[in-house]
Amino acid sequence: MAEVISIPRQVLHQEVAVRLRQRIVEGHLAPGAKLNERELSELLQVSRTPLREAIKMLAAEGLVELLPNRGAVVAQMSEQDVADTFEVIAGLEGQSGELAAQRINEAELAEIRALHYEMLAAHTRRDLPTYYRLNAQIHTRINAAAANRVLTQTWATVNARLQALRFRSNFDAAKWKRAVKEHEQMVELLAARDAAGMRALMVRHLLHKRDAVLELMRSGRLHGDRKAKA
């Protein structure tokens, strides 16, 4: 029996978008899969009107493609698309890290540190969905600490296309462990206000993500088991 997900009525299409995005990111809806409105309406217990609005939101983010005569499908990226997009996001996150190290205040740093400890606990439990949610919050907080609205808007647009791939980059246990170590270094560099070190680390972190995703794509394991291999 399908899992029943209850959604509040207020701002319904936004809530539906959150749930659909999560299913795409975590691989429950694979790249190229058609979004069956009847099945999704039953699963999410909503009418097709808010569902269609949610699908339009995800299409604007790049997670969904609207195809003539085929409806909506989960977006697919080629190896070149992946390489190009990660190259861009690496530059954006490098700039975010540099500016954040210069501008972050103690309250922002404390929040990032607290999220980091929660993320470490999720990693210990091998709870990848919770780990990824906290990881994404940390990257968002670092970007916010950079205090540059144009940078934030640009980063959010590009990053939306990569959420599912960033999630999958942790399928390999060794690479997941390396990512955790890099996050430990992020907290240390932010606390030290080391702008140059933070820029270099963020670029390296994102390029490692790129390499992990490309390796999975080339081996045919990108859309396999959603749990990291121990």
Side-chain angles (χ1 to χ4, degrees):
M1 178 180 293
E3 176 188 6
V4 175
I5 302 175
S6 178
I7 299 178
R9 295 188 63 84
Q10 58 269 37
V11 207
L12 194 53
H13 71 281
Q14 295 181 9
E15 293 289 342
V16 175
V18 169
R19 303 296 174 87
L20 277 180
R21 186 184 299 109
Q22 181 179 0
R23 296 188 74 77
I24 292 171
V25 167
E26 295 181 8
H28 300 288
L29 292 167
K34 181 176 174 58
L35 299 183
N36 186 300
E37 290 187 2
R38 180 183 60 79
E39 292 179 359
L40 290 172
S41 292
E42 291 176 359
L43 175 67
L44 302 175
Q45 293 191 317
V46 296
S47 68
R48 294 195 181 188
T49 298
L51 177 61
R52 286 169 179 163
E53 289 300 313
I55 289 172
K56 289 178 183 177
M57 287 180 61
L58 297 187
E61 293 178 7
L63 284 176
V64 168
E65 293 182 78
L66 302 178
L67 303 178
N69 304 318
R70 285 191 57 194
V73 300
V74 179
Q76 300 185 78
M77 296 178 73
S78 68
E79 286 189 21
Q80 191 61 55
D81 290 335
V82 170
D84 290 347
T85 309
F86 268 103
E87 187 173 71
V88 172
I89 201 71
L92 294 172
E93 295 232 10
Q95 187 170 17
S96 292
E98 180 178 13
L99 293 176
Q102 295 170 352
R103 300 171 178 175
I104 195 167
N105 59 45
E106 288 301 322
E108 291 170 327
L109 181 59
E111 185 176 18
I112 289 171
R113 186 177 280 116
L115 288 169
H116 175 69
Y117 289 138
E118 289 185 59
M119 190 188 75
L120 289 179
H123 176 255
T124 299
R125 299 191 306 270
R126 295 300 186 266
D127 180 354
L128 183 52
T130 299
Y131 171 91
Y132 179 76
R133 176 177 55 81
L134 294 163
N135 180 295
Q137 289 181 38
I138 290 170
H139 282 270
T140 299
R141 296 298 193 283
I142 291 172
N143 184 271
N148 184 310
R149 287 186 296 177
V150 175
L151 177 59
T152 293
Q153 291 167 356
T154 307
W155 172 82
T157 299
V158 178
N159 188 57
R161 300 189 65 205
L162 292 173
Q163 290 184 71
L165 296 178
R166 291 180 75 151
F167 180 90
R168 288 162 175 76
S169 69
N170 297 305
F171 280 5
D172 180 276
K175 293 180 175 61
W176 191 5
K177 184 176 181 180
R178 180 180 64 192
V180 171
K181 180 62 177 177
E182 289 169 348
H183 268 263
E184 292 175 352
Q185 294 169 349
M186 288 176 202
V187 176
E188 294 169 0
L189 290 171
L190 286 171
R193 287 3 188 227
D194 185 344
M198 191 63 179
R199 172 184 276 276
L201 174 62
M202 296 300 283
V203 171
R204 185 166 65 251
H205 182 66
L206 269 295
L207 294 182
H208 281 159
K209 294 287 182 185
R210 175 202 63 190
D211 294 345
V213 170
L214 290 174
E215 182 178 323
L216 288 170
M217 290 181 77
R218 291 162 182 164
S219 67
R221 294 180 292 125
L222 185 61
H223 309 300
D225 186 359
R226 289 192 298 272
K227 294 181 180 179
K229 304 297 183 184

mmCIF file with all atom_site columns, all heavy atoms in Angstrom, residues 78-96:
data_model
loop_
_atom_site.group_PDB
_atom_site.id
_atom_site.type_symbol
_atom_site.label_atom_id
_atom_site.label_alt_id
_atom_site.label_comp_id
_atom_site.label_asym_id
_atom_site.label_entity_id
_atom_site.label_seq_id
_atom_site.pdbx_PDB_ins_code
_atom_site.Cartn_x
_atom_site.Cartn_y
_atom_site.Cartn_z
_atom_site.occupancy
_atom_site.B_iso_or_equiv
_atom_site.pdbx_formal_charge
_atom_site.auth_seq_id
_atom_site.auth_comp_id
_atom_site.auth_asym_id
_atom_site.auth_atom_id
_atom_site.pdbx_PDB_model_num
ATOM 1   N N   . SER A 1 78 ? 23.165 15.096 -18.649 1.00 0.00 ? 78 SER A N   1
ATOM 2   C CA  . SER A 1 78 ? 24.256 14.347 -19.261 1.00 0.00 ? 78 SER A CA  1
ATOM 3   C C   . SER A 1 78 ? 25.524 14.539 -18.428 1.00 0.00 ? 78 SER A C   1
ATOM 4   O O   . SER A 1 78 ? 25.588 15.395 -17.537 1.00 0.00 ? 78 SER A O   1
ATOM 5   C CB  . SER A 1 78 ? 24.509 14.850 -20.682 1.00 0.00 ? 78 SER A CB  1
ATOM 6   O OG  . SER A 1 78 ? 25.027 16.180 -20.641 1.00 0.00 ? 78 SER A OG  1
ATOM 7   N N   . GLU A 1 79 ? 26.555 13.753 -18.735 1.00 0.00 ? 79 GLU A N   1
ATOM 8   C CA  . GLU A 1 79 ? 27.837 13.925 -18.042 1.00 0.00 ? 79 GLU A CA  1
ATOM 9   C C   . GLU A 1 79 ? 28.368 15.340 -18.231 1.00 0.00 ? 79 GLU A C   1
ATOM 10  O O   . GLU A 1 79 ? 28.907 15.937 -17.294 1.00 0.00 ? 79 GLU A O   1
ATOM 11  C CB  . GLU A 1 79 ? 28.859 12.902 -18.545 1.00 0.00 ? 79 GLU A CB  1
ATOM 12  C CG  . GLU A 1 79 ? 28.613 11.489 -18.059 1.00 0.00 ? 79 GLU A CG  1
ATOM 13  C CD  . GLU A 1 79 ? 29.768 10.556 -18.399 1.00 0.00 ? 79 GLU A CD  1
ATOM 14  O OE1 . GLU A 1 79 ? 30.888 11.062 -18.644 1.00 0.00 ? 79 GLU A OE1 1
ATOM 15  O OE2 . GLU A 1 79 ? 29.563 9.335  -18.425 1.00 0.00 ? 79 GLU A OE2 1
ATOM 16  N N   . GLN A 1 80 ? 28.226 15.880 -19.436 1.00 0.00 ? 80 GLN A N   1
ATOM 17  C CA  . GLN A 1 80 ? 28.715 17.232 -19.684 1.00 0.00 ? 80 GLN A CA  1
ATOM 18  C C   . GLN A 1 80 ? 27.916 18.263 -18.898 1.00 0.00 ? 80 GLN A C   1
ATOM 19  O O   . GLN A 1 80 ? 28.478 19.222 -18.364 1.00 0.00 ? 80 GLN A O   1
ATOM 20  C CB  . GLN A 1 80 ? 28.654 17.561 -21.188 1.00 0.00 ? 80 GLN A CB  1
ATOM 21  C CG  . GLN A 1 80 ? 29.393 18.841 -21.550 1.00 0.00 ? 80 GLN A CG  1
ATOM 22  C CD  . GLN A 1 80 ? 30.872 18.776 -21.210 1.00 0.00 ? 80 GLN A CD  1
ATOM 23  O OE1 . GLN A 1 80 ? 31.577 17.860 -21.640 1.00 0.00 ? 80 GLN A OE1 1
ATOM 24  N NE2 . GLN A 1 80 ? 31.366 19.734 -20.437 1.00 0.00 ? 80 GLN A NE2 1
ATOM 25  N N   . ASP A 1 81 ? 26.589 18.060 -18.811 1.00 0.00 ? 81 ASP A N   1
ATOM 26  C CA  . ASP A 1 81 ? 25.751 18.948 -18.000 1.00 0.00 ? 81 ASP A CA  1
ATOM 27  C C   . ASP A 1 81 ? 26.220 18.940 -16.552 1.00 0.00 ? 81 ASP A C   1
ATOM 28  O O   . ASP A 1 81 ? 26.316 19.988 -15.899 1.00 0.00 ? 81 ASP A O   1
ATOM 29  C CB  . ASP A 1 81 ? 24.284 18.505 -18.049 1.00 0.00 ? 81 ASP A CB  1
ATOM 30  C CG  . ASP A 1 81 ? 23.636 18.726 -19.399 1.00 0.00 ? 81 ASP A CG  1
ATOM 31  O OD1 . ASP A 1 81 ? 24.094 19.613 -20.145 1.00 0.00 ? 81 ASP A OD1 1
ATOM 32  O OD2 . ASP A 1 81 ? 22.655 18.009 -19.709 1.00 0.00 ? 81 ASP A OD2 1
ATOM 33  N N   . VAL A 1 82 ? 26.483 17.736 -16.041 1.00 0.00 ? 82 VAL A N   1
ATOM 34  C CA  . VAL A 1 82 ? 26.928 17.595 -14.650 1.00 0.00 ? 82 VAL A CA  1
ATOM 35  C C   . VAL A 1 82 ? 28.254 18.309 -14.441 1.00 0.00 ? 82 VAL A C   1
ATOM 36  O O   . VAL A 1 82 ? 28.425 19.085 -13.490 1.00 0.00 ? 82 VAL A O   1
ATOM 37  C CB  . VAL A 1 82 ? 27.053 16.096 -14.275 1.00 0.00 ? 82 VAL A CB  1
ATOM 38  C CG1 . VAL A 1 82 ? 27.756 15.937 -12.921 1.00 0.00 ? 82 VAL A CG1 1
ATOM 39  C CG2 . VAL A 1 82 ? 25.677 15.440 -14.237 1.00 0.00 ? 82 VAL A CG2 1
ATOM 40  N N   . ALA A 1 83 ? 29.210 18.065 -15.327 1.00 0.00 ? 83 ALA A N   1
ATOM 41  C CA  . ALA A 1 83 ? 30.533 18.684 -15.198 1.00 0.00 ? 83 ALA A CA  1
ATOM 42  C C   . ALA A 1 83 ? 30.428 20.208 -15.254 1.00 0.00 ? 83 ALA A C   1
ATOM 43  O O   . ALA A 1 83 ? 31.035 20.913 -14.440 1.00 0.00 ? 83 ALA A O   1
ATOM 44  C CB  . ALA A 1 83 ? 31.453 18.173 -16.295 1.00 0.00 ? 83 ALA A CB  1
ATOM 45  N N   . ASP A 1 84 ? 29.656 20.710 -16.203 1.00 0.00 ? 84 ASP A N   1
ATOM 46  C CA  . ASP A 1 84 ? 29.528 22.155 -16.369 1.00 0.00 ? 84 ASP A CA  1
ATOM 47  C C   . ASP A 1 84 ? 28.849 22.804 -15.164 1.00 0.00 ? 84 ASP A C   1
ATOM 48  O O   . ASP A 1 84 ? 29.272 23.866 -14.683 1.00 0.00 ? 84 ASP A O   1
ATOM 49  C CB  . ASP A 1 84 ? 28.725 22.476 -17.637 1.00 0.00 ? 84 ASP A CB  1
ATOM 50  C CG  . ASP A 1 84 ? 29.489 22.139 -18.911 1.00 0.00 ? 84 ASP A CG  1
ATOM 51  O OD1 . ASP A 1 84 ? 30.706 21.902 -18.840 1.00 0.00 ? 84 ASP A OD1 1
ATOM 52  O OD2 . ASP A 1 84 ? 28.847 22.111 -19.986 1.00 0.00 ? 84 ASP A OD2 1
ATOM 53  N N   . THR A 1 85 ? 27.780 22.163 -14.679 1.00 0.00 ? 85 THR A N   1
ATOM 54  C CA  . THR A 1 85 ? 27.017 22.759 -13.581 1.00 0.00 ? 85 THR A CA  1
ATOM 55  C C   . THR A 1 85 ? 27.798 22.732 -12.281 1.00 0.00 ? 85 THR A C   1
ATOM 56  O O   . THR A 1 85 ? 27.782 23.705 -11.510 1.00 0.00 ? 85 THR A O   1
ATOM 57  C CB  . THR A 1 85 ? 25.663 22.041 -13.417 1.00 0.00 ? 85 THR A CB  1
ATOM 58  O OG1 . THR A 1 85 ? 24.994 21.973 -14.681 1.00 0.00 ? 85 THR A OG1 1
ATOM 59  C CG2 . THR A 1 85 ? 24.769 22.801 -12.452 1.00 0.00 ? 85 THR A CG2 1
ATOM 60  N N   . PHE A 1 86 ? 28.502 21.638 -12.027 1.00 0.00 ? 86 PHE A N   1
ATOM 61  C CA  . PHE A 1 86 ? 29.322 21.589 -10.811 1.00 0.00 ? 86 PHE A CA  1
ATOM 62  C C   . PHE A 1 86 ? 30.480 22.587 -10.892 1.00 0.00 ? 86 PHE A C   1
ATOM 63  O O   . PHE A 1 86 ? 30.905 23.143 -9.874  1.00 0.00 ? 86 PHE A O   1
ATOM 64  C CB  . PHE A 1 86 ? 29.859 20.177 -10.568 1.00 0.00 ? 86 PHE A CB  1
ATOM 65  C CG  . PHE A 1 86 ? 28.972 19.343 -9.689  1.00 0.00 ? 86 PHE A CG  1
ATOM 66  C CD1 . PHE A 1 86 ? 28.149 18.372 -10.227 1.00 0.00 ? 86 PHE A CD1 1
ATOM 67  C CD2 . PHE A 1 86 ? 28.955 19.533 -8.312  1.00 0.00 ? 86 PHE A CD2 1
ATOM 68  C CE1 . PHE A 1 86 ? 27.323 17.600 -9.418  1.00 0.00 ? 86 PHE A CE1 1
ATOM 69  C CE2 . PHE A 1 86 ? 28.132 18.774 -7.494  1.00 0.00 ? 86 PHE A CE2 1
ATOM 70  C CZ  . PHE A 1 86 ? 27.311 17.799 -8.044  1.00 0.00 ? 86 PHE A CZ  1
ATOM 71  N N   . GLU A 1 87 ? 30.988 22.825 -12.079 1.00 0.00 ? 87 GLU A N   1
ATOM 72  C CA  . GLU A 1 87 ? 32.047 23.819 -12.244 1.00 0.00 ? 87 GLU A CA  1
ATOM 73  C C   . GLU A 1 87 ? 31.548 25.204 -11.826 1.00 0.00 ? 87 GLU A C   1
ATOM 74  O O   . GLU A 1 87 ? 32.251 25.960 -11.143 1.00 0.00 ? 87 GLU A O   1
ATOM 75  C CB  . GLU A 1 87 ? 32.506 23.836 -13.700 1.00 0.00 ? 87 GLU A CB  1
ATOM 76  C CG  . GLU A 1 87 ? 33.714 24.708 -13.975 1.00 0.00 ? 87 GLU A CG  1
ATOM 77  C CD  . GLU A 1 87 ? 34.218 24.538 -15.398 1.00 0.00 ? 87 GLU A CD  1
ATOM 78  O OE1 . GLU A 1 87 ? 33.525 25.003 -16.331 1.00 0.00 ? 87 GLU A OE1 1
ATOM 79  O OE2 . GLU A 1 87 ? 35.284 23.925 -15.583 1.00 0.00 ? 87 GLU A OE2 1
ATOM 80  N N   . VAL A 1 88 ? 30.318 25.501 -12.213 1.00 0.00 ? 88 VAL A N   1
ATOM 81  C CA  . VAL A 1 88 ? 29.732 26.795 -11.848 1.00 0.00 ? 88 VAL A CA  1
ATOM 82  C C   . VAL A 1 88 ? 29.460 26.878 -10.356 1.00 0.00 ? 88 VAL A C   1
ATOM 83  O O   . VAL A 1 88 ? 29.799 27.871 -9.694  1.00 0.00 ? 88 VAL A O   1
ATOM 84  C CB  . VAL A 1 88 ? 28.440 27.047 -12.654 1.00 0.00 ? 88 VAL A CB  1
ATOM 85  C CG1 . VAL A 1 88 ? 27.724 28.296 -12.136 1.00 0.00 ? 88 VAL A CG1 1
ATOM 86  C CG2 . VAL A 1 88 ? 28.755 27.201 -14.136 1.00 0.00 ? 88 VAL A CG2 1
ATOM 87  N N   . ILE A 1 89 ? 28.831 25.825 -9.801  1.00 0.00 ? 89 ILE A N   1
ATOM 88  C CA  . ILE A 1 89 ? 28.482 25.882 -8.381  1.00 0.00 ? 89 ILE A CA  1
ATOM 89  C C   . ILE A 1 89 ? 29.736 25.905 -7.510  1.00 0.00 ? 89 ILE A C   1
ATOM 90  O O   . ILE A 1 89 ? 29.746 26.516 -6.436  1.00 0.00 ? 89 ILE A O   1
ATOM 91  C CB  . ILE A 1 89 ? 27.561 24.697 -7.992  1.00 0.00 ? 89 ILE A CB  1
ATOM 92  C CG1 . ILE A 1 89 ? 26.781 25.002 -6.699  1.00 0.00 ? 89 ILE A CG1 1
ATOM 93  C CG2 . ILE A 1 89 ? 28.332 23.414 -7.808  1.00 0.00 ? 89 ILE A CG2 1
ATOM 94  C CD1 . ILE A 1 89 ? 25.717 26.037 -6.856  1.00 0.00 ? 89 ILE A CD1 1
ATOM 95  N N   . ALA A 1 90 ? 30.823 25.284 -7.974  1.00 0.00 ? 90 ALA A N   1
ATOM 96  C CA  . ALA A 1 90 ? 32.079 25.322 -7.208  1.00 0.00 ? 90 ALA A CA  1
ATOM 97  C C   . ALA A 1 90 ? 32.580 26.760 -7.090  1.00 0.00 ? 90 ALA A C   1
ATOM 98  O O   . ALA A 1 90 ? 33.029 27.193 -6.022  1.00 0.00 ? 90 ALA A O   1
ATOM 99  C CB  . ALA A 1 90 ? 33.130 24.438 -7.872  1.00 0.00 ? 90 ALA A CB  1
ATOM 100 N N   . GLY A 1 91 ? 32.486 27.499 -8.186  1.00 0.00 ? 91 GLY A N   1
ATOM 101 C CA  . GLY A 1 91 ? 32.906 28.895 -8.140  1.00 0.00 ? 91 GLY A CA  1
ATOM 102 C C   . GLY A 1 91 ? 32.025 29.732 -7.231  1.00 0.00 ? 91 GLY A C   1
ATOM 103 O O   . GLY A 1 91 ? 32.512 30.573 -6.460  1.00 0.00 ? 91 GLY A O   1
ATOM 104 N N   . LEU A 1 92 ? 30.717 29.490 -7.293  1.00 0.00 ? 92 LEU A N   1
ATOM 105 C CA  . LEU A 1 92 ? 29.779 30.241 -6.456  1.00 0.00 ? 92 LEU A CA  1
ATOM 106 C C   . LEU A 1 92 ? 29.973 29.922 -4.979  1.00 0.00 ? 92 LEU A C   1
ATOM 107 O O   . LEU A 1 92 ? 29.951 30.810 -4.127  1.00 0.00 ? 92 LEU A O   1
ATOM 108 C CB  . LEU A 1 92 ? 28.343 29.928 -6.878  1.00 0.00 ? 92 LEU A CB  1
ATOM 109 C CG  . LEU A 1 92 ? 27.929 30.393 -8.280  1.00 0.00 ? 92 LEU A CG  1
ATOM 110 C CD1 . LEU A 1 92 ? 26.548 29.846 -8.642  1.00 0.00 ? 92 LEU A CD1 1
ATOM 111 C CD2 . LEU A 1 92 ? 27.929 31.924 -8.363  1.00 0.00 ? 92 LEU A CD2 1
ATOM 112 N N   . GLU A 1 93 ? 30.173 28.630 -4.673  1.00 0.00 ? 93 GLU A N   1
ATOM 113 C CA  . GLU A 1 93 ? 30.367 28.265 -3.271  1.00 0.00 ? 93 GLU A CA  1
ATOM 114 C C   . GLU A 1 93 ? 31.733 28.733 -2.762  1.00 0.00 ? 93 GLU A C   1
ATOM 115 O O   . GLU A 1 93 ? 31.885 29.069 -1.589  1.00 0.00 ? 93 GLU A O   1
ATOM 116 C CB  . GLU A 1 93 ? 30.202 26.756 -3.090  1.00 0.00 ? 93 GLU A CB  1
ATOM 117 C CG  . GLU A 1 93 ? 28.791 26.280 -3.383  1.00 0.00 ? 93 GLU A CG  1
ATOM 118 C CD  . GLU A 1 93 ? 28.181 25.448 -2.272  1.00 0.00 ? 93 GLU A CD  1
ATOM 119 O OE1 . GLU A 1 93 ? 28.768 25.381 -1.173  1.00 0.00 ? 93 GLU A OE1 1
ATOM 120 O OE2 . GLU A 1 93 ? 27.100 24.880 -2.511  1.00 0.00 ? 93 GLU A OE2 1
ATOM 121 N N   . GLY A 1 94 ? 32.720 28.766 -3.648  1.00 0.00 ? 94 GLY A N   1
ATOM 122 C CA  . GLY A 1 94 ? 34.009 29.310 -3.253  1.00 0.00 ? 94 GLY A CA  1
ATOM 123 C C   . GLY A 1 94 ? 33.892 30.769 -2.850  1.00 0.00 ? 94 GLY A C   1
ATOM 124 O O   . GLY A 1 94 ? 34.449 31.201 -1.832  1.00 0.00 ? 94 GLY A O   1
ATOM 125 N N   . GLN A 1 95 ? 33.144 31.530 -3.646  1.00 0.00 ? 95 GLN A N   1
ATOM 126 C CA  . GLN A 1 95 ? 32.949 32.941 -3.324  1.00 0.00 ? 95 GLN A CA  1
ATOM 127 C C   . GLN A 1 95 ? 32.127 33.093 -2.052  1.00 0.00 ? 95 GLN A C   1
ATOM 128 O O   . GLN A 1 95 ? 32.416 33.958 -1.211  1.00 0.00 ? 95 GLN A O   1
ATOM 129 C CB  . GLN A 1 95 ? 32.266 33.663 -4.480  1.00 0.00 ? 95 GLN A CB  1
ATOM 130 C CG  . GLN A 1 95 ? 32.177 35.172 -4.278  1.00 0.00 ? 95 GLN A CG  1
ATOM 131 C CD  . GLN A 1 95 ? 31.710 35.899 -5.522  1.00 0.00 ? 95 GLN A CD  1
ATOM 132 O OE1 . GLN A 1 95 ? 31.156 35.299 -6.438  1.00 0.00 ? 95 GLN A OE1 1
ATOM 133 N NE2 . GLN A 1 95 ? 31.933 37.203 -5.562  1.00 0.00 ? 95 GLN A NE2 1
ATOM 134 N N   . SER A 1 96 ? 31.102 32.254 -1.894  1.00 0.00 ? 96 SER A N   1
ATOM 135 C CA  . SER A 1 96 ? 30.300 32.300 -0.668  1.00 0.00 ? 96 SER A CA  1
ATOM 136 C C   . SER A 1 96 ? 31.175 32.039 0.553   1.00 0.00 ? 96 SER A C   1
ATOM 137 O O   . SER A 1 96 ? 31.062 32.735 1.573   1.00 0.00 ? 96 SER A O   1
ATOM 138 C CB  . SER A 1 96 ? 29.192 31.241 -0.722  1.00 0.00 ? 96 SER A CB  1
ATOM 139 O OG  . SER A 1 96 ? 28.222 31.547 -1.693  1.00 0.00 ? 96 SER A OG  1
#
